[in-house]
Amino acid sequence: MSDSRHWLWLAGVVLGGWLLYLLTPILSPFLIAMLLAYLGDPLVDRLERWMSRTWGVVLVFALFSLLLLVLLLILIPMLGRQLVHLYQLLPQMLDWAQLQALPWAQAQFGLSEDFWRFDQIKTALSEHLGKTTNIVGVVLAQATASSLALVAWVGNLLLIPVVSFYLLRDWDLIMAKLRGLLPRSREGAVVQLVSECHEVLGAFIRGQLLVMLALAGIYSSGLMLVGLELGLLIGLLAGLASIVPYMGFIVGFGAAVIAALFQHGGVDLYPLLGIAVVFGIGQLLEGMLLTPLLVGDRIGLHPVAVIFAILAGGQLFGFTGILLALPVAAIIMVLLRHAHDFYKQSDAYGASTPPD
């Protein structure tokens, strides 16, 4: 009877995984809504001390809406201009690669003259430079090519705040009902396991996300104060790359130095010194203030595990897999740690019998 029950559980897990795979195309708005509800729940819990939970959810939604409005009115137009400027700089970068970087690489590594075909790449880019001002029209034309796809996209976008509101309002109730469904004999162990998963998720979804946003603001504002034309774009890129420790510093500093060299037509000491100061301050604040304050010493994922989880999730399930990558990786890490402890305490790990 016990074996039959185990096979039944295994069949249920397989069936659930198969259904999840089939529903992947419609899961994105629900996963984003769950992420927003998970991020906003601690703030709503604190607001419940002074008001009802519904009004707390309304206040949190108003705050999120205000931040989104600032993003739409200020950051996105600035970022769009910098993207166009970067697109216009690409031929100059190819010229530098063709006239300076490639000859140096050929001399050092003995490469053939036609190893890179920069002329064809530069010609293709130059032909499209005149179309940069019409990007919005092209995007709208592609989006409206299929009216059904456009309606589905808009519907999913409008579905996110609606689902987020109801999930955030009933979050504690949902958690209590789920806990009530647990087997009474295993409730303590399951709750402890879920608490450890929650600790990891809190460190990497709440804490690390706040660290990324803070670093993006520090790098962007610092680079723009230094006078780097692509400062906002590079700062945001460095902040996003900070999900992996030191990756944001490496990517951002390298991109900022290259942008400064092209902007000033060569090596200029003061802009490069300013860039070094900006990223040095960012690293000091991350190590001494941001990470200890926002992430703390809670259990975290190894950087290699973060990279593999994101790439594997995107390869297997697309954008939905990317959303699920870190939560699933955190849960797997906690389960593997408990499996490791169980193995160390089992007879299989016992000391080997010395040979006669």
Side-chain angles (χ1 to χ4, degrees), residues 325-342:
L326 288 182
V328 172
I331 294 172
I332 291 176
M333 190 198 71
V334 174
L335 295 177
L336 287 177
R337 190 188 64 201
H338 280 270
H340 173 267
D341 294 340
F342 178 77

Side-chain angles (χ1 to χ4, degrees), residues 20-21 23-32 309-310 312-328:
L20 182 67
Y21 178 78
L23 295 175
T24 297
I26 66 170
L27 287 180
S28 296
F30 294 93
L31 292 176
I32 296 175
I310 294 175
Q315 178 67 29
L316 293 175
F317 301 105
F319 181 68
T320 302
I322 295 176
L323 293 176
L324 287 172
L326 288 182
V328 172

Side-chain angles (χ1 to χ4, degrees), residues 49-192:
R49 302 172 185 174
W50 299 283
M51 62 185 69
S52 66
R53 186 170 182 87
T54 300
W55 281 108
V57 173
V58 171
L59 186 59
V60 169
F61 261 76
L63 178 61
F64 283 169
S65 300
L66 180 61
L67 293 176
L68 182 61
L69 183 62
V70 172
L71 181 68
L72 292 175
L73 295 180
I74 299 178
L75 291 182
I76 289 183
M78 295 174 60
L79 187 61
R81 288 193 294 268
Q82 293 197 4
L83 285 172
V84 172
H85 182 61
L86 175 63
Y87 188 55
Q88 294 172 344
L89 286 177
L90 286 179
Q92 300 179 24
M93 295 180 179
L94 291 176
D95 284 336
W96 172 81
Q98 182 181 14
L99 300 177
Q100 299 183 30
L102 181 58
W104 179 85
Q106 289 174 340
Q108 295 294 324
F109 304 104
L111 300 176
S112 60
E113 295 184 358
D114 58 347
F115 185 78
W116 295 107
R117 300 186 179 276
F118 282 99
D119 291 334
Q120 299 178 6
I121 300 175
K122 188 174 67 174
T123 301
L125 288 174
S126 300
E127 291 177 354
H128 293 281
L129 280 178
K131 301 179 181 180
T132 55
T133 56
N134 199 28
I135 292 178
V136 176
V138 174
V139 172
L140 290 177
Q142 293 293 329
T144 55
S146 175
S147 57
L148 183 60
L150 178 62
V151 171
W153 185 81
V154 174
N156 288 335
L157 190 63
L158 295 177
L159 190 63
I160 292 174
V162 176
V163 177
S164 299
F165 178 85
Y166 286 110
L167 285 177
L168 190 55
R169 189 192 66 177
D170 300 330
W171 187 267
D172 293 341
L173 181 61
I174 294 173
M175 294 298 104
K177 288 184 176 296
L178 290 177
R179 181 169 181 172
L181 294 175
L182 297 176
R184 299 296 90 191
S185 59
R186 302 294 179 89
E187 180 183 5
V190 174
V191 169
Q192 180 182 357

Side-chain angles (χ1 to χ4, degrees), residues 265-306:
V267 178
D268 194 345
L269 180 60
Y270 292 105
L272 296 179
L273 182 61
I275 291 172
V277 170
V278 169
F279 280 92
I281 293 175
Q283 285 298 294
L284 288 176
L285 290 176
E286 179 186 8
M288 300 177 62
L289 179 64
L290 295 176
T291 299
L293 181 63
L294 298 175
V295 179
D297 58 353
R298 289 169 289 182
I299 303 171
L301 291 174
H302 192 276
V304 176
V306 174

